Amino acid sequence: MLLQLVASRADPVSVSDVAAALGVAKSSAHELLRTLTDVGFLAQDADTGRYAVGDGARRLAHGPLDTNLLRSLTTNLVDALAVRSGESAYIGVLRGQQVEVVHHVFRPDDTRQQLEVGDRHEAHATAMGQVLLALDPAAPAVMRTLDPVRLTQRTLDLPALRTRLVEVRQRQWACTVGERTADKADVAAPLRGRGGIVVAAVGLVGDVDQVVSARRDPRPVLLAHVQAAAAAITAELGATL
Amino acid sequence: MSARHVVAIDQGTTSTRCIVFDQQGRFVSVAQREHRQWFPQPGWVEHDAAEIWANVTKVVPAALAKAGIGPGDVAALGIANQRETAVLWDRRTGRPQGRAITWQDTRVAPLLPELARRVDDPTLRERCGLPLSTYATAPRLTWLLRESPDLRRRAATGDVLFGTMETWLVWNLTGGVSGGVHVTDVTNASRTMLMDLRTLDWDDGLGDAFEVPRAMLPQVRPSATVHGRATQVLPGVVIGAAIGDQQAALFGQACFAPGEAKCTYGTGAFLLLNTGSEPVVSTHGLASTVAFQADGEPATYALEGSIAMTGSLVQWFRDSLAMVRTAPEIETLARTVEDNGGCFIVPAFSGLFAPHWRPEARGGISRLTSHLTRGHLARAVLEATAWQTVDVVEAMNADAGLALTALRVDGGMTSNLLLMQTVSNLLDVPVERPMVHETVSLGAAYAAGLTVGLWPDLAVLRRHWHCGARWAPDMAPAQRELERRGWRTALAQTLTSAEPTPPSTGPPAP
């Protein structure tokens, strides 16, 4: 209602305008305005202190994040992840129970590789998918109906997956070892748009012995590369999306 | 050796960037500043050379600070620059004489018919490799010195100096009024229309034709050589390379061998093909240019084709037609349909450039039907970039007498996967993009690092190149031919519908 009020006015509104129109105390109006400004739905003019509709609210009209725009904004940073880690790098988004590859950079070893953009994998069996099942706003609905298909001997069943997702939420990264393909391991971390909402995941995939230690933990240097890439891309997305 | 970084300055059309690379040729840090574009009259585009120099003095320390290194850690500095832009300055005060006239500036168009009578097109192409056009530097000097008798007098005595951007930067970096070195490199000199492609030195006949006194011209040097030692900004660091930005991109893409080519997709697109140790005189509307020269070695040459509208067509689709909110979203829109619905867009907004050189041509959208949607138009916009690439590649194949086997790409539009697949489909060769996007800066860094021995040879640099993505052709030959007929028909319509006026920005089609 507050958004409608601000949007209906030709000029920016003051705290008093809002308090009067809504019939609430000025302190309450101020708090509401601050909350909506913090998430970008309103913007406050630095000189007058008045409020107008912000970019965040306008973006609501544009629907979900465009994945081609996402790729274009992140190309340099995902390239850097592939170069530094020596592994294939990816960005993925949640599509129902699957994760869709929206960006892929080849492993820098000059072997012939196929572009995997557009491929979809079972979310529960990949690191990017587990990051999204743990943190994406659409995940709770997905989890209610998920019946995880067993792809390898290591694919998690539903109880084990739920336990794993709790860990992922705490750590803010995921690692799977042989859960989708027996000889592959992957590491991923979340990408956040404006307001801190998880919109995608970034990760790398490689041979099991390259990506994880004997104890099946991700090699610290690779995990650090993934986390650094996630932080850099999140900063980029926060500035533009 | 402790100095294991190479610093590249990319002095571009809209901004000046400094990028630090490590010994593996990996990106370490970047700093960037935009400079003002001056449009004093329609068709005039100027830069303030003093502002650009001031930006260099800011971006270099900023990039070093981000990398956490000092001048002592820098093995060499390489410069890549916007080409063909003319800077004049006073040798004694160091002050630019008026603003720099950029490569996009078309004010000299009215001079071209007169200049064409002095140097005929075949002689020009044979001697300097370029068609007479508003692109090259020499007509700008003709214009500037005709405007001001005072400038002409001081230019004749060498008190006013000429340079393209790299010349201006090297002069300032090496001390300016106190001992600045006045040099250019072969790649930049090959864009002026004043250099003989074979002797790699200024041609007195061309100098006379364009009324340019030799005293104002810098010394022509190899691209990779010790141009001097910086006394400003990076004190003590060797300036190991200066090279034009498109040639730098060719070098940064490791296209060292004849037959290797790259296309940089930006606002426009620039396709360069390495043709080896002999210049190829184009009979198909392309420019012949120097690709690279290392100290003490013969020059490597290239054929170059420039396409005026690629990214700028997408911008038009976004801004003037409001069909998409951001440029990357054109791919999303194009993927809502299976094909172009028979529609072709020929983006000859200000004439057609290479290989057609028909400045009078005007663009068109062909075969409009009620069946067409925004998605079909989005496809046609992307296909226009792909078809223009095909036209330039076919001209290159014909000129060079060899067939391109793969195309290396860079620039912002390479993140458009549908476009890259379409380029591969229509060219019928694989398209590859490198892991490091910053090919212009990387090329300057490679050349500078070679000069100081940070890298022993080209073979080592070739091993630095890694493929980030690759697209293989995936289109039936019959389908390709059908599409080709559609494009050719649309192209012919824009050429026949044009008013027959004399060329003003390029030579007549062969």
Side-chain angles (χ1 to χ4, degrees):
Chain A
M1 195 165 84
L2 179 52
L3 264 180
Q4 282 174 334
L5 173 74
V6 178
S8 68
R9 301 291 175 91
D11 298 314
V13 299
S14 67
V15 179
S16 319
D17 294 342
V18 171
L22 297 183
V24 299
K26 265 178 81 171
S27 60
S28 309
H30 184 257
E31 196 162 319
L32 287 167
L33 289 164
R34 273 269 44 99
T35 306
L36 287 173
T37 305
D38 287 345
V39 294
F41 286 1
L42 292 179
Q44 187 178 18
D45 187 289
D47 296 331
T48 64
R50 286 167 172 262
Y51 294 85
V53 174
D55 287 345
R58 286 193 202 95
R59 272 190 292 267
L60 289 178
H62 300 308
L65 172 64
D66 185 277
T67 54
N68 292 312
L69 176 60
L70 177 64
R71 183 189 324 110
S72 153
L73 292 173
T74 58
T75 298
N76 275 329
L77 296 165
V78 182
D79 282 358
L81 175 59
V83 170
R84 296 203 179 120
S85 68
E87 302 293 348
S88 320
Y90 299 85
I91 287 183
V93 296
L94 194 63
R95 294 277 189 249
Q97 301 186 353
Q98 296 182 312
V99 60
E100 180 180 333
V101 175
V102 299
H103 187 28
H104 169 205
V105 180
F106 290 171
R107 190 172 58 249
D109 62 3
D110 299 325
T111 56
R112 184 55 57 81
Q113 297 161 67
Q114 293 280 338
L115 205 57
E116 296 168 27
V117 173
D119 289 4
R120 290 186 181 204
H121 307 298
E122 298 305 323
H124 66 270
T126 68
M128 285 199 300
Q130 289 183 4
V131 162
L132 295 169
L133 288 178
L135 297 162
D136 191 288
V142 174
M143 286 302 294
R144 276 197 285 280
T145 58
L146 184 68
D147 178 18
V149 186
R150 193 171 162 85
L151 300 169
T152 70
Q153 289 190 329
R154 296 193 156 272
T155 306
L156 302 182
D157 61 13
L158 195 55
L161 179 65
R162 289 194 187 281
T163 308
R164 173 75 64 78
L165 296 184
V166 171
E167 285 171 21
V168 171
R169 242 171 254 126
Q170 281 166 356
R171 292 170 171 164
Q172 297 285 311
W173 55 264
C175 173
T176 78
V177 183
E179 294 176 30
R180 180 171 80 85
T181 317
D183 57 349
K184 297 285 180 190
D186 55 356
V187 184
L191 301 180
R192 296 171 186 279
R194 187 78 71 88
I197 294 166
V198 170
V199 293
V202 62
L204 53 81
V205 180
D207 293 338
V208 167
D209 53 355
Q210 294 291 321
V211 174
V212 296
S213 66
R215 296 178 51 222
R216 299 192 169 266
D217 292 325
R219 293 185 188 282
V221 60
L222 292 185
L223 176 60
H225 284 318
V226 169
Q227 289 177 314
I233 294 169
T234 291
E236 184 74 34
L237 298 183
T240 31
L241 287 184
Chain B
M1 187 166 72
S2 65
R4 294 185 180 279
H5 289 85
V6 181
V7 168
I9 295 172
D10 173 9
Q11 201 302 295
T13 305
T14 56
S15 72
T16 303
R17 291 140 53 80
C18 177
I19 299 191
V20 177
F21 293 96
D22 68 15
Q23 198 169 4
Q24 282 71 49
R26 295 182 302 195
F27 169 94
V28 178
S29 68
V30 61
Q32 169 171 350
R33 280 185 98 91
E34 297 200 346
H35 54 261
R36 181 166 169 189
Q37 308 287 319
W38 301 76
F39 306 105
Q41 292 187 36
W44 293 29
V45 190
E46 301 179 345
H47 292 161
D48 177 353
E51 180 191 6
I52 286 173
W53 167 242
N55 285 351
V56 168
T57 66
K58 288 172 190 140
V59 294
V60 174
L64 262 61
K66 281 191 195 177
I69 61 172
D73 302 308
V74 179
L77 166 68
I79 299 171
N81 58 290
Q82 56 167 318
R83 308 173 303 171
E84 298 123 0
T85 295
V87 187
L88 299 187
W89 68 95
D90 186 299
R91 179 200 291 277
R92 293 200 173 75
T93 65
R95 256 188 234 116
Q97 305 293 293
R99 284 191 289 265
I101 306 183
T102 75
W103 61 278
Q104 299 161 304
D105 188 298
T106 57
R107 77 183 65 180
V108 301
L111 286 183
L112 297 186
E114 179 202 337
L115 293 172
R117 286 193 292 277
R118 294 190 192 173
V119 215
D120 61 281
D121 191 55
T123 306
L124 206 51
R125 285 175 172 280
E126 173 64 29
R127 196 87 52 90
C128 72
L130 303 176
L132 186 62
S133 76
T134 58
Y135 262 137
T137 321
R140 292 192 184 109
L141 296 178
T142 314
W143 187 92
L144 279 164
L145 299 185
R146 281 188 184 179
E147 283 291 299
S148 165
D150 175 55
L151 271 184
R152 172 173 303 287
R153 188 176 44 75
R154 288 155 64 216
T157 57
D159 290 322
V160 165
L161 301 179
F162 154 76
T164 35
M165 275 298 169
E166 86 295 351
T167 305
W168 168 244
L169 297 188
V170 171
W171 190 80
N172 279 290
L173 283 165
T174 53
V177 290
S178 17
V181 180
H182 190 221
V183 295
T184 183
D185 97 294
V186 285
T187 66
N188 277 293
S190 76
R191 313 299 301 178
T192 59
M193 212 172 244
L194 295 169
M195 189 188 79
D196 184 315
L197 268 187
R198 289 171 184 77
T199 66
L200 302 176
D201 200 357
W202 304 120
D203 181 283
D204 286 331
L206 292 173
D208 290 345
F210 291 104
E211 305 163 11
V212 176
R214 181 97 180 209
M216 76 185 311
L217 297 177
Q219 186 192 358
V220 183
R221 312 279 322 274
S223 321
T225 187
V226 177
H227 290 284
R229 206 172 267 277
T231 62
Q232 311 293 310
V233 183
L234 281 174
V237 173
V238 166
I239 304 170
I243 182 166
D245 54 10
Q246 293 306 324
Q247 285 93 337
L250 187 71
F251 204 69
Q253 284 268 29
C255 294
F256 304 138
E260 293 180 332
K262 71 89 199 176
C263 188
T264 302
Y265 289 100
T267 307
F270 291 90
L271 214 159
L272 271 75
L273 168 75
N274 183 323
T275 58
S277 56
E278 289 292 325
V280 173
V281 177
S282 175
T283 53
H284 295 83
L286 303 171
S288 189
T289 197
V290 182
F292 178 72
Q293 187 190 23
D295 216 0
E297 290 179 22
T300 300
Y301 294 87
L303 277 170
E304 171 171 331
S306 50
I307 303 166
M309 304 246 345
T310 52
S312 52
L313 184 65
V314 177
Q315 283 167 9
W316 169 80
F317 192 71
R318 180 195 65 194
D319 299 336
S320 298
L321 300 191
M323 292 282 190
V324 286
R325 202 165 55 88
T326 65
E329 285 172 73
I330 193 172
E331 180 172 358
T332 312
L333 181 56
R335 286 188 190 274
T336 60
V337 293
E338 290 294 307
D339 56 33
N340 61 17
C343 175
F344 290 86
I345 295 179
V346 182
F349 285 29
S350 49
L352 282 170
F353 287 43
H356 312 287
W357 293 106
R358 293 291 290 269
E360 77 283 9
R362 286 297 170 266
I365 302 178
S366 76
R367 297 202 233 165
L368 286 174
T369 62
S370 60
H371 152 79
L372 286 183
T373 66
R374 297 190 308 146
H376 296 108
L377 290 176
R379 287 247 171 198
V381 162
L382 297 179
E383 288 175 6
T385 290
W387 278 121
Q388 291 181 98
T389 307
V390 171
D391 286 348
V392 169
V393 166
E394 287 182 349
M396 282 184 173
N397 287 347
D399 273 337
L402 48 81
L404 188 74
T405 53
L407 181 66
R408 293 186 167 182
V409 295
D410 52 69
M413 287 180 96
T414 57
S415 67
N416 189 315
L417 307 190
L418 179 62
L419 172 63
M420 292 301 108
Q421 184 63 55
T422 305
V423 171
S424 175
N425 285 352
L426 299 182
L427 276 177
D428 200 20
V429 300
V431 167
E432 301 172 323
R433 85 156 179 89
M435 200 72 85
V436 176
H437 262 242
E438 308 287 354
T439 54
V440 171
S441 296
L442 187 61
Y446 278 175
L450 275 180
T451 301
V452 297
L454 188 68
W455 296 299
D457 54 27
L458 297 180
V460 168
L461 295 180
R462 193 180 279 284
R463 285 198 292 277
H464 287 172
W465 191 94
H466 295 299
C467 185
R470 185 174 190 273
W471 296 267
D474 175 28
M475 182 179 251
Q479 182 65 28
R480 185 181 300 119
E481 283 318 302
L482 191 69
E483 296 293 327
R484 183 191 304 274
R485 278 204 297 280
W487 167 253
R488 292 264 178 272
T489 305
L491 198 59
Q493 282 166 357
T494 66
L495 294 176
T496 53
S497 67
E499 297 281 326
T501 53
S504 58
T505 60

